[in-house]
Amino acid sequence: MPATRSLPNGVEKYAESPLFAAGKVPESLQKSHSTKSGTYARLVVTAGQVQYFLVGESTRVATINVGDTFVILPMEKHFVQVTDDAEFYLEFCR
């Protein structure tokens, strides 16, 4: 079950990524990266499982399963690992 996080009041979606499938997830998402200042991302899993890690931490923050979402905070350095059947997309909000 993912850690509980929610978008702040007044934050709205302004963009959406394409659907990423296992084997086609950009390497940049699997290495240390972050959103811009003031930008939140909502990770939406449509198949499989995505594991979310903070850079420098030894344990994962969340495991996001089908039907679950997870909010990524602005400028939070992180990376993801996915199962072989994973599919997910990101909604960018500010």
Side-chain angles (χ1 to χ4, degrees):
M1 179 168 193
T4 302
R5 289 185 174 185
S6 58
L7 294 171
N9 290 335
V11 171
E12 295 184 13
K13 177 179 152 181
Y14 71 90
E16 186 172 298
S17 75
L19 184 66
F20 298 115
K24 295 184 180 183
V25 176
E27 199 167 315
S28 60
L29 296 181
Q30 298 175 73
K31 294 182 178 180
S32 175
H33 67 283
S34 66
T35 59
K36 295 178 184 177
S37 177
T39 300
Y40 293 81
R42 183 177 15 223
L43 190 154
V44 181
V45 177
T46 59
Q49 185 180 81
V50 177
Q51 294 183 347
Y52 182 87
F53 296 84
L54 292 178
V55 172
E57 298 291 323
S58 59
T59 59
R60 72 180 165 269
V61 172
T63 299
I64 306 100
N65 295 300
V66 176
D68 289 337
T69 63
F70 182 76
V71 173
I72 300 167
L73 304 176
M75 298 175 50
E76 183 172 70
K77 291 195 180 284
H78 64 278
F79 63 94
V80 298
Q81 293 179 350
V82 301
T83 57
D84 290 341
D85 60 345
E87 291 184 352
F88 68 97
Y89 63 94
L90 299 159
E91 296 176 341
F92 297 98
C93 307
R94 58 178 170 211

